[in-house]
Amino acid sequence: MRTIYAHRGMSSLAPENTLSAFKLCADYRVGWFECDIDILHDGTIVVSHDSTLDRCTNRSGLLFDINKQDLADIDAGSWFSHDYLEEPIPTLDQLIEVMNRYKLNANIEIKSCESNVQASRDLLDGLNAALEQLAPEREYIISSFNPILLAEFKKIRPEAPIACLFENQTLNDDWHVIMEWTGAQYIHPQNDGLTREQVKMFKDRGYKVNVWTVNAKDRANELFNWGVDGIFTDFAQNFSR
Ligand code: G3P
Ligand code: MG
């Protein structure tokens, strides 16, 4: 079973990490998407890749400096296209509603909360509470580059499927120690420079392997031939059935 994950939603067709980008997955029959979550000053969990507002909204400054009430005034769509004027930054609760309504599954990536320990704790507790609202037939994976967050979340929610994200330069000999320590079943390595031998090493230890970010079809086919289970892509429409 080869899984296509729409990276940040259908992010080449709609602004990344917005409800529009996620809903488009249903139109293209892409069953899984990836998204990133972070926390606001008042504890509201939102969907955002960056810890600042600068790149993907009409505002600037730290995400952690705003509160839920500020979201109504923030446009996270028009940087992408005027068609998405006033598209909001979604909350995690809204994301869960979309998953339920559109029958979509998600890889939810936890970002690092500016190294604020209390904010990290609140984010993990809030994520656990939000997942309680997920319909039982929906699937999810929780991923992060930060193994401490993953290990902590696994304690809060032991049944959660966990994925360790690795960049090329952090994929060292101790990778499987991190996997075991977090209780991960999935390894999510970076595409650039990933070799057949590395994929074999992951599979030999029984892990599912999902690779980010793969936009070229030839490379996707090569990875699948090596035994990779899934890819994250910005062009899921090119892979949909
Ligand atoms: O989860 C795969 C991928 O999204 C990790 O990198 O920076 O796009 O969140 P990034
Ligand atoms: Mg991500």
Side-chain angles (χ1 to χ4, degrees), residues 40 44-46 53 59 63 66-75 87-91 94:
L40 305 185
T44 304
I45 301 175
V46 293
L53 296 161
R59 294 265 297 274
L63 194 66
I66 67 166
N67 294 313
K68 187 175 185 179
Q69 66 193 37
D70 300 312
L71 294 176
D73 299 324
I74 296 176
D75 169 0
E87 174 88 27
I89 295 174
T91 64
Q94 290 172 324

PDB file of all heavy atoms in Angstrom, residues 40 44-46 53 59 63 66-75 87-91 94:
ATOM      1  N   LEU A  40      -0.680  29.330  20.187  1.00  0.00           N
ATOM      2  CA  LEU A  40      -0.717  30.787  20.381  1.00  0.00           C
ATOM      3  C   LEU A  40      -0.517  31.119  21.855  1.00  0.00           C
ATOM      4  O   LEU A  40      -0.517  30.232  22.716  1.00  0.00           O
ATOM      5  CB  LEU A  40      -2.070  31.350  19.916  1.00  0.00           C
ATOM      6  CG  LEU A  40      -2.501  31.033  18.484  1.00  0.00           C
ATOM      7  CD1 LEU A  40      -3.810  31.768  18.168  1.00  0.00           C
ATOM      8  CD2 LEU A  40      -1.418  31.393  17.478  1.00  0.00           C
ATOM      9  N   THR A  44      -4.403  28.505  22.332  1.00  0.00           N
ATOM     10  CA  THR A  44      -5.105  27.996  21.148  1.00  0.00           C
ATOM     11  C   THR A  44      -4.098  27.316  20.221  1.00  0.00           C
ATOM     12  O   THR A  44      -3.042  27.881  19.928  1.00  0.00           O
ATOM     13  CB  THR A  44      -5.778  29.160  20.380  1.00  0.00           C
ATOM     14  OG1 THR A  44      -6.644  29.847  21.273  1.00  0.00           O
ATOM     15  CG2 THR A  44      -6.560  28.649  19.183  1.00  0.00           C
ATOM     16  N   ILE A  45      -4.438  26.121  19.767  1.00  0.00           N
ATOM     17  CA  ILE A  45      -3.547  25.416  18.835  1.00  0.00           C
ATOM     18  C   ILE A  45      -4.005  25.717  17.413  1.00  0.00           C
ATOM     19  O   ILE A  45      -5.209  25.631  17.102  1.00  0.00           O
ATOM     20  CB  ILE A  45      -3.543  23.903  19.106  1.00  0.00           C
ATOM     21  CG1 ILE A  45      -3.074  23.649  20.542  1.00  0.00           C
ATOM     22  CG2 ILE A  45      -2.625  23.178  18.117  1.00  0.00           C
ATOM     23  CD1 ILE A  45      -3.138  22.211  20.985  1.00  0.00           C
ATOM     24  N   VAL A  46      -3.054  26.103  16.587  1.00  0.00           N
ATOM     25  CA  VAL A  46      -3.371  26.460  15.205  1.00  0.00           C
ATOM     26  C   VAL A  46      -2.507  25.666  14.240  1.00  0.00           C
ATOM     27  O   VAL A  46      -1.526  25.031  14.632  1.00  0.00           O
ATOM     28  CB  VAL A  46      -3.161  27.974  14.939  1.00  0.00           C
ATOM     29  CG1 VAL A  46      -4.161  28.809  15.719  1.00  0.00           C
ATOM     30  CG2 VAL A  46      -1.728  28.386  15.223  1.00  0.00           C
ATOM     31  N   LEU A  53       4.507  35.045  11.509  1.00  0.00           N
ATOM     32  CA  LEU A  53       3.411  35.307  10.574  1.00  0.00           C
ATOM     33  C   LEU A  53       3.922  35.808   9.223  1.00  0.00           C
ATOM     34  O   LEU A  53       3.140  35.959   8.278  1.00  0.00           O
ATOM     35  CB  LEU A  53       2.486  36.374  11.192  1.00  0.00           C
ATOM     36  CG  LEU A  53       1.786  35.959  12.488  1.00  0.00           C
ATOM     37  CD1 LEU A  53       1.296  37.185  13.253  1.00  0.00           C
ATOM     38  CD2 LEU A  53       0.626  35.020  12.187  1.00  0.00           C
ATOM     39  N   ARG A  59       0.434  39.756   8.057  1.00  0.00           N
ATOM     40  CA  ARG A  59       0.999  40.354   9.270  1.00  0.00           C
ATOM     41  C   ARG A  59       2.435  39.879   9.465  1.00  0.00           C
ATOM     42  O   ARG A  59       2.908  38.997   8.758  1.00  0.00           O
ATOM     43  CB  ARG A  59       0.152  39.918  10.494  1.00  0.00           C
ATOM     44  CG  ARG A  59      -1.277  40.464  10.484  1.00  0.00           C
ATOM     45  CD  ARG A  59      -1.381  41.737  11.286  1.00  0.00           C
ATOM     46  NE  ARG A  59      -1.064  41.503  12.683  1.00  0.00           N
ATOM     47  CZ  ARG A  59      -1.947  41.099  13.610  1.00  0.00           C
ATOM     48  NH1 ARG A  59      -3.196  40.908  13.270  1.00  0.00           N
ATOM     49  NH2 ARG A  59      -1.581  40.908  14.860  1.00  0.00           N
ATOM     50  N   LEU A  63       4.079  34.090  15.929  1.00  0.00           N
ATOM     51  CA  LEU A  63       2.773  33.448  16.115  1.00  0.00           C
ATOM     52  C   LEU A  63       2.435  33.388  17.609  1.00  0.00           C
ATOM     53  O   LEU A  63       1.282  33.593  18.012  1.00  0.00           O
ATOM     54  CB  LEU A  63       2.866  32.035  15.532  1.00  0.00           C
ATOM     55  CG  LEU A  63       1.616  31.238  15.275  1.00  0.00           C
ATOM     56  CD1 LEU A  63       0.768  31.877  14.188  1.00  0.00           C
ATOM     57  CD2 LEU A  63       1.976  29.810  14.876  1.00  0.00           C
ATOM     58  N   ILE A  66       0.360  36.206  19.398  1.00  0.00           N
ATOM     59  CA  ILE A  66      -1.049  36.520  19.143  1.00  0.00           C
ATOM     60  C   ILE A  66      -1.961  35.549  19.887  1.00  0.00           C
ATOM     61  O   ILE A  66      -1.518  34.510  20.388  1.00  0.00           O
ATOM     62  CB  ILE A  66      -1.387  36.517  17.630  1.00  0.00           C
ATOM     63  CG1 ILE A  66      -1.265  35.102  17.040  1.00  0.00           C
ATOM     64  CG2 ILE A  66      -0.513  37.521  16.881  1.00  0.00           C
ATOM     65  CD1 ILE A  66      -1.894  34.957  15.675  1.00  0.00           C
ATOM     66  N   ASN A  67      -3.258  35.943  19.959  1.00  0.00           N
ATOM     67  CA  ASN A  67      -4.286  35.131  20.620  1.00  0.00           C
ATOM     68  C   ASN A  67      -5.375  34.751  19.618  1.00  0.00           C
ATOM     69  O   ASN A  67      -5.410  35.293  18.501  1.00  0.00           O
ATOM     70  CB  ASN A  67      -4.902  35.921  21.776  1.00  0.00           C
ATOM     71  CG  ASN A  67      -3.889  36.176  22.871  1.00  0.00           C
ATOM     72  OD1 ASN A  67      -3.168  35.270  23.281  1.00  0.00           O
ATOM     73  ND2 ASN A  67      -3.808  37.416  23.317  1.00  0.00           N
ATOM     74  N   LYS A  68      -6.275  33.877  20.065  1.00  0.00           N
ATOM     75  CA  LYS A  68      -7.345  33.404  19.170  1.00  0.00           C
ATOM     76  C   LYS A  68      -8.129  34.569  18.560  1.00  0.00           C
ATOM     77  O   LYS A  68      -8.484  34.537  17.382  1.00  0.00           O
ATOM     78  CB  LYS A  68      -8.282  32.476  19.950  1.00  0.00           C
ATOM     79  CG  LYS A  68      -9.312  31.800  19.081  1.00  0.00           C
ATOM     80  CD  LYS A  68     -10.134  30.805  19.862  1.00  0.00           C
ATOM     81  CE  LYS A  68     -11.077  30.053  18.940  1.00  0.00           C
ATOM     82  NZ  LYS A  68     -11.876  29.063  19.668  1.00  0.00           N
ATOM     83  N   GLN A  69      -8.407  35.595  19.349  1.00  0.00           N
ATOM     84  CA  GLN A  69      -9.236  36.700  18.844  1.00  0.00           C
ATOM     85  C   GLN A  69      -8.551  37.452  17.694  1.00  0.00           C
ATOM     86  O   GLN A  69      -9.229  38.096  16.895  1.00  0.00           O
ATOM     87  CB  GLN A  69      -9.581  37.671  19.963  1.00  0.00           C
ATOM     88  CG  GLN A  69      -8.389  38.416  20.516  1.00  0.00           C
ATOM     89  CD  GLN A  69      -8.721  39.119  21.821  1.00  0.00           C
ATOM     90  OE1 GLN A  69      -9.476  38.604  22.641  1.00  0.00           O
ATOM     91  NE2 GLN A  69      -8.151  40.289  22.008  1.00  0.00           N
ATOM     92  N   ASP A  70      -7.240  37.352  17.608  1.00  0.00           N
ATOM     93  CA  ASP A  70      -6.511  38.026  16.525  1.00  0.00           C
ATOM     94  C   ASP A  70      -6.676  37.313  15.183  1.00  0.00           C
ATOM     95  O   ASP A  70      -6.445  37.916  14.131  1.00  0.00           O
ATOM     96  CB  ASP A  70      -5.012  38.104  16.853  1.00  0.00           C
ATOM     97  CG  ASP A  70      -4.730  38.870  18.123  1.00  0.00           C
ATOM     98  OD1 ASP A  70      -5.295  39.976  18.272  1.00  0.00           O
ATOM     99  OD2 ASP A  70      -3.959  38.372  18.966  1.00  0.00           O
ATOM    100  N   LEU A  71      -7.044  36.036  15.229  1.00  0.00           N
ATOM    101  CA  LEU A  71      -7.085  35.244  13.989  1.00  0.00           C
ATOM    102  C   LEU A  71      -8.062  35.825  12.975  1.00  0.00           C
ATOM    103  O   LEU A  71      -7.843  35.739  11.770  1.00  0.00           O
ATOM    104  CB  LEU A  71      -7.448  33.780  14.289  1.00  0.00           C
ATOM    105  CG  LEU A  71      -6.427  32.969  15.102  1.00  0.00           C
ATOM    106  CD1 LEU A  71      -6.960  31.570  15.397  1.00  0.00           C
ATOM    107  CD2 LEU A  71      -5.090  32.880  14.361  1.00  0.00           C
ATOM    108  N   ALA A  72      -9.156  36.429  13.474  1.00  0.00           N
ATOM    109  CA  ALA A  72     -10.187  36.962  12.573  1.00  0.00           C
ATOM    110  C   ALA A  72      -9.641  38.050  11.664  1.00  0.00           C
ATOM    111  O   ALA A  72     -10.178  38.279  10.571  1.00  0.00           O
ATOM    112  CB  ALA A  72     -11.354  37.498  13.407  1.00  0.00           C
ATOM    113  N   ASP A  73      -8.582  38.728  12.076  1.00  0.00           N
ATOM    114  CA  ASP A  73      -8.043  39.847  11.294  1.00  0.00           C
ATOM    115  C   ASP A  73      -6.838  39.450  10.452  1.00  0.00           C
ATOM    116  O   ASP A  73      -6.226  40.298   9.818  1.00  0.00           O
ATOM    117  CB  ASP A  73      -7.596  40.985  12.230  1.00  0.00           C
ATOM    118  CG  ASP A  73      -8.758  41.522  13.033  1.00  0.00           C
ATOM    119  OD1 ASP A  73      -9.871  41.567  12.474  1.00  0.00           O
ATOM    120  OD2 ASP A  73      -8.556  41.867  14.208  1.00  0.00           O
ATOM    121  N   ILE A  74      -6.482  38.183  10.486  1.00  0.00           N
ATOM    122  CA  ILE A  74      -5.268  37.767   9.774  1.00  0.00           C
ATOM    123  C   ILE A  74      -5.624  37.017   8.491  1.00  0.00           C
ATOM    124  O   ILE A  74      -6.422  36.070   8.514  1.00  0.00           O
ATOM    125  CB  ILE A  74      -4.374  36.898  10.695  1.00  0.00           C
ATOM    126  CG1 ILE A  74      -3.896  37.764  11.874  1.00  0.00           C
ATOM    127  CG2 ILE A  74      -3.184  36.335   9.921  1.00  0.00           C
ATOM    128  CD1 ILE A  74      -3.085  37.013  12.905  1.00  0.00           C
ATOM    129  N   ASP A  75      -5.057  37.464   7.390  1.00  0.00           N
ATOM    130  CA  ASP A  75      -5.306  36.881   6.073  1.00  0.00           C
ATOM    131  C   ASP A  75      -4.134  35.951   5.725  1.00  0.00           C
ATOM    132  O   ASP A  75      -3.015  36.426   5.509  1.00  0.00           O
ATOM    133  CB  ASP A  75      -5.430  38.044   5.078  1.00  0.00           C
ATOM    134  CG  ASP A  75      -5.423  37.614   3.629  1.00  0.00           C
ATOM    135  OD1 ASP A  75      -5.324  36.400   3.353  1.00  0.00           O
ATOM    136  OD2 ASP A  75      -5.501  38.498   2.763  1.00  0.00           O
ATOM    137  N   GLU A  87      -8.575  34.120   3.735  1.00  0.00           N
ATOM    138  CA  GLU A  87      -8.515  32.730   4.228  1.00  0.00           C
ATOM    139  C   GLU A  87      -7.819  32.757   5.594  1.00  0.00           C
ATOM    140  O   GLU A  87      -6.726  33.313   5.718  1.00  0.00           O
ATOM    141  CB  GLU A  87      -7.701  31.892   3.228  1.00  0.00           C
ATOM    142  CG  GLU A  87      -7.441  30.475   3.662  1.00  0.00           C
ATOM    143  CD  GLU A  87      -8.538  29.505   3.259  1.00  0.00           C
ATOM    144  OE1 GLU A  87      -9.233  29.754   2.262  1.00  0.00           O
ATOM    145  OE2 GLU A  87      -8.696  28.496   3.967  1.00  0.00           O
ATOM    146  N   PRO A  88      -8.450  32.202   6.615  1.00  0.00           N
ATOM    147  CA  PRO A  88      -7.837  32.307   7.947  1.00  0.00           C
ATOM    148  C   PRO A  88      -6.793  31.231   8.246  1.00  0.00           C
ATOM    149  O   PRO A  88      -6.736  30.200   7.575  1.00  0.00           O
ATOM    150  CB  PRO A  88      -9.040  32.124   8.881  1.00  0.00           C
ATOM    151  CG  PRO A  88     -10.006  31.317   8.093  1.00  0.00           C
ATOM    152  CD  PRO A  88      -9.776  31.603   6.636  1.00  0.00           C
ATOM    153  N   ILE A  89      -5.991  31.497   9.267  1.00  0.00           N
ATOM    154  CA  ILE A  89      -5.162  30.442   9.871  1.00  0.00           C
ATOM    155  C   ILE A  89      -6.141  29.528  10.604  1.00  0.00           C
ATOM    156  O   ILE A  89      -6.886  29.992  11.476  1.00  0.00           O
ATOM    157  CB  ILE A  89      -4.159  31.030  10.884  1.00  0.00           C
ATOM    158  CG1 ILE A  89      -3.145  31.935  10.193  1.00  0.00           C
ATOM    159  CG2 ILE A  89      -3.450  29.915  11.651  1.00  0.00           C
ATOM    160  CD1 ILE A  89      -2.214  32.660  11.163  1.00  0.00           C
ATOM    161  N   PRO A  90      -6.166  28.224  10.304  1.00  0.00           N
ATOM    162  CA  PRO A  90      -7.145  27.342  10.970  1.00  0.00           C
ATOM    163  C   PRO A  90      -6.720  26.999  12.402  1.00  0.00           C
ATOM    164  O   PRO A  90      -5.525  26.933  12.703  1.00  0.00           O
ATOM    165  CB  PRO A  90      -7.135  26.068  10.124  1.00  0.00           C
ATOM    166  CG  PRO A  90      -6.209  26.286   8.995  1.00  0.00           C
ATOM    167  CD  PRO A  90      -5.381  27.500   9.289  1.00  0.00           C
ATOM    168  N   THR A  91      -7.716  26.757  13.225  1.00  0.00           N
ATOM    169  CA  THR A  91      -7.419  26.174  14.542  1.00  0.00           C
ATOM    170  C   THR A  91      -7.381  24.650  14.397  1.00  0.00           C
ATOM    171  O   THR A  91      -7.919  24.082  13.436  1.00  0.00           O
ATOM    172  CB  THR A  91      -8.493  26.545  15.582  1.00  0.00           C
ATOM    173  OG1 THR A  91      -9.731  25.955  15.166  1.00  0.00           O
ATOM    174  CG2 THR A  91      -8.633  28.050  15.727  1.00  0.00           C
ATOM    175  N   GLN A  94     -10.847  23.212  14.138  1.00  0.00           N
ATOM    176  CA  GLN A  94     -11.429  23.295  12.781  1.00  0.00           C
ATOM    177  C   GLN A  94     -10.842  22.223  11.871  1.00  0.00           C
ATOM    178  O   GLN A  94     -11.541  21.652  11.030  1.00  0.00           O
ATOM    179  CB  GLN A  94     -11.155  24.687  12.183  1.00  0.00           C
ATOM    180  CG  GLN A  94     -11.944  25.791  12.855  1.00  0.00           C
ATOM    181  CD  GLN A  94     -11.508  27.177  12.379  1.00  0.00           C
ATOM    182  OE1 GLN A  94     -10.328  27.429  12.116  1.00  0.00           O
ATOM    183  NE2 GLN A  94     -12.465  28.073  12.264  1.00  0.00           N
TER     184      GLN A  94
END
